[in-house]
Amino acid sequence: MDRLPGFRDFYPEPLPTPEGWSADLRRHLFTRWRAVAERYGFREYDGPPLEPLELYTAKSGAEIVGQLYNFTDKGGREVALRPEMTPTLARLAAAHERHYKKPLKWFAMPQLFRYERQQKGRLREHFQFNADILGEPDRAADAELIALLIDSLRALGLSAEDFVVRLSSRQAWQDFFARHTTRPDQAYEFYQIVDKLEREPAEVSAPKLEALGLTLEQVRHFIAAGEPTDELRAILANLEARGLGDFVRIDYNVIRGLAYYTGPVYEAFDRKGQFRAIAGGGRYDHLVRLVSGGKVDLPALGFGMGDVVLAELLKARQLVPRWEGRLDAFCLVEDESLRPATLRFIQQLRNAGLTVDYSLTPAKSDRQFKRALELAASHTARLERSTDGELRARLKHLATREERTVSLTDAPAALRQA
Ligand code: HAM
């Protein structure tokens, strides 16, 4: 039976097929994301993968609602697999924000589900690094998040030559729309047209804009002028002060597809323009109020970075590390009468934090040795009895083939040193 389209199997390296997904690469992303988030003082949270459908229908906008995996559960509840983390975060924060000092700086790495048309960089499930700040209206928070976004990509080996953060403002677009439209109630429709401008031909976008009383020319002119608002200038200055100015540029082509953004918004792209967005985010100051039914009002902002485009980009830039076996020792059982003692020895090594493997069932010596080589073990270890009947460990360093005999007590340290 095959897996569903748009879903992935993750295999350990070496991968069975070149186009397969690597569980080792996924762990690499998670490890770096978590490390950088913690370096910035963010704390980890999580929520349920299944949520009430309602959490998304009014808040995220038509585009994502059209992509929901939703159904009625056995209790008659309308539910959906989470397509994004932000509404869940808004709910979590609204429920217990008083328990925490502000601003909240939180991160998560959820698996998300969207019934999208499959294309390069877009699947029906992906993992997304989310980092958000709640309770801070100052632009310093916007800059802090963009810096975190940049550093999480740098931690994977990418540089200012590989990617750029395109910074824009939903507020600036809202003001532009209010100035030019004949249909002020259609702002979200307008944002969606702008969001697709780079991907849709002019013959499709122009009539849609005209229906709102705007021309493609006006919109293109606004983008080309690229005049940063005061808010964007402050964010740029903040990032420049950190030496991160090269990673950002003003670009009003970005507006974001989701409905809830209210202020500065941004997306990270590869410089060569070969891939879809690596990450996207911005300020959404009204979402917590909306999700809490007006009970809690917290300014909020954040971004999401997906694993799919990122993995493609790292592969293209040859930044995927090679994963080799990490065995400190492969224990050989050549004399079956020593198996119980060897098991005790293996347990002792593992208790000491060493990675150890061995043949579960009796096997010929050369087969065990071959297995040790296949697993790229650093050593083989074999128990033997000295003339006075004491058990000792014979260690062989596989790269140099050097051998030495040590006491069982000294074995963990000896394996660690080499
Ligand atoms: P988003 O732009 O919908 O934002 O997604 C963020 C990133 O997730 C995208 O740039 C992309 O890398 C990845 N992504 C999205 N959909 C897919 C897909 N179908 N397949 C593969 N990768 C995908 C959000 O989700 C916002 N909730 C982010 C946010 C957090 N805003 C504020 N806080």
Side-chain angles (χ1 to χ4, degrees):
M1 194 143 52
D2 215 352
R3 62 179 185 273
L4 290 168
F7 284 75
R8 292 174 289 174
D9 296 325
F10 289 88
Y11 284 92
E13 305 254 356
L15 297 182
T17 58
E19 66 284 354
W21 288 88
S22 160
D24 292 297
L25 175 55
R26 187 179 67 167
R27 193 190 53 238
H28 175 59
L29 297 183
F30 281 20
T31 308
R32 296 293 159 96
W33 284 342
R34 182 175 275 124
V36 180
E38 287 178 349
R39 230 189 277 158
Y40 272 70
F42 281 63
R43 303 293 310 277
E44 191 161 353
Y45 72 96
D46 202 355
L50 197 65
E51 288 276 20
L53 175 65
E54 229 196 313
L55 188 61
Y56 309 107
T57 41
K59 289 108 192 167
S60 299
E63 185 167 303
I64 218 165
V65 170
Q67 296 168 344
L68 283 174
Y69 268 95
N70 61 305
F71 56 94
T72 312
D73 77 1
K74 288 179 181 159
R77 296 173 203 91
E78 290 298 322
V79 295
L81 284 172
R82 59 186 175 195
E84 58 156 340
M85 197 59 171
T86 317
T88 298
L89 170 63
R91 183 171 55 70
L92 253 81
H96 291 294
E97 53 96 15
R98 287 197 185 170
H99 180 75
Y100 297 97
K101 296 248 184 318
K102 309 295 173 312
L104 311 181
K105 294 167 74 179
W106 286 5
F107 79 96
M109 299 185 293
Q111 189 173 22
L112 306 176
F113 304 87
R114 299 183 189 182
Y115 199 90
E116 290 212 50
R117 194 166 56 80
Q118 261 194 89
Q119 47 194 305
K120 191 163 164 256
R122 286 287 175 272
L123 298 173
R124 290 186 174 162
E125 132 302 297
H126 70 283
F127 290 89
Q128 201 186 80
F129 171 42
N130 275 249
D132 292 80
I133 297 181
L134 294 104
E136 182 51 73
D138 198 276
R139 302 157 187 129
D142 302 70
E144 178 78 351
L145 275 168
I146 296 172
L148 168 55
L149 189 164
I150 294 168
D151 276 345
S152 35
L153 293 176
R154 287 174 70 205
L156 292 162
L158 295 162
S159 70
E161 269 138 52
D162 299 308
F163 74 93
V164 62
V165 178
R166 297 159 70 187
L167 179 61
S168 175
S169 163
R170 180 65 75 83
Q171 185 65 49
W173 272 117
Q174 191 181 318
D175 296 345
F176 170 90
F177 184 64
R179 277 199 307 278
H180 295 95
T181 190
T182 50
R183 302 288 307 275
D185 55 318
Q186 304 274 296
Y188 178 59
E189 285 69 17
F190 171 66
Y191 302 153
Q192 285 196 297
I193 303 168
V194 178
D195 186 49
K196 295 200 175 67
L197 226 47
E198 288 181 309
R199 277 170 278 144
E200 267 180 3
E203 307 84 78
V204 179
S205 308
K208 287 193 202 163
L209 287 169
E210 275 154 31
L212 302 177
L214 296 120
T215 66
L216 186 55
E217 264 316 289
Q218 280 173 319
V219 169
R220 283 191 171 152
H221 185 260
F222 182 72
I223 294 171
E227 192 52 43
T229 59
D230 290 347
E231 204 168 39
L232 297 187
R233 272 187 226 282
I235 295 171
L236 285 178
N238 181 311
L239 291 167
E240 269 153 24
R242 303 170 195 239
L244 297 179
D246 288 350
F247 289 91
V248 202
R249 70 155 192 260
I250 300 293
D251 188 341
Y252 284 134
N253 278 298
V254 171
I255 193 167
R256 307 283 295 138
L258 292 155
Y260 48 66
Y261 292 107
T262 52
V265 286
Y266 45 87
E267 286 181 350
F269 282 87
D270 67 291
R271 286 258 186 204
K272 292 189 184 157
Q274 292 172 307
F275 302 97
R276 303 269 310 237
I278 308 164
R283 192 170 265 283
Y284 49 97
D285 282 345
H286 307 318
L287 187 65
V288 175
R289 196 174 61 215
L290 217 69
V291 167
S292 66
K295 288 199 199 85
V296 180
D297 203 359
L298 270 184
L301 58 156
F303 69 81
M305 176 183 293
D307 70 322
V308 178
V309 176
L310 193 51
E312 286 173 353
L313 178 62
L314 293 178
K315 280 182 207 156
R317 302 287 174 271
Q318 283 159 1
L319 288 170
V320 177
R322 274 175 55 86
W323 283 279
E324 277 149 10
R326 285 186 201 134
L327 275 193
D328 294 311
F330 189 93
C331 287
L332 307 168
V333 188
E334 291 175 351
D335 171 355
E336 280 300 320
S337 74
L338 288 177
R339 185 170 283 270
T342 308
L343 287 173
R344 199 173 324 118
F345 177 57
I346 291 169
Q347 190 67 28
Q348 178 202 340
L349 297 181
R350 287 176 174 166
N351 286 349
L354 294 160
T355 51
V356 183
D357 208 349
Y358 66 102
S359 174
L360 290 170
T361 53
K364 289 207 177 96
S365 300
D366 56 341
R367 287 210 37 198
Q368 292 187 52
F369 191 71
K370 199 166 153 240
R371 183 87 181 125
L373 293 175
E374 280 164 9
L375 294 174
S378 140
H379 291 82
T380 56
R382 178 166 48 85
L383 293 195
E384 56 183 30
R385 243 178 239 292
S386 63
T387 41
D388 56 9
E390 199 195 333
L391 276 177
R392 299 160 68 83
R394 181 98 178 134
L395 310 181
K396 182 180 208 167
H397 189 248
L398 290 181
T400 59
R401 303 281 156 128
E402 249 170 59
E403 291 195 63
R404 60 182 165 149
T405 305
V406 297
S407 73
L408 299 194
T409 336
D410 292 343
L415 286 168
R416 206 171 275 122
Q417 267 165 22

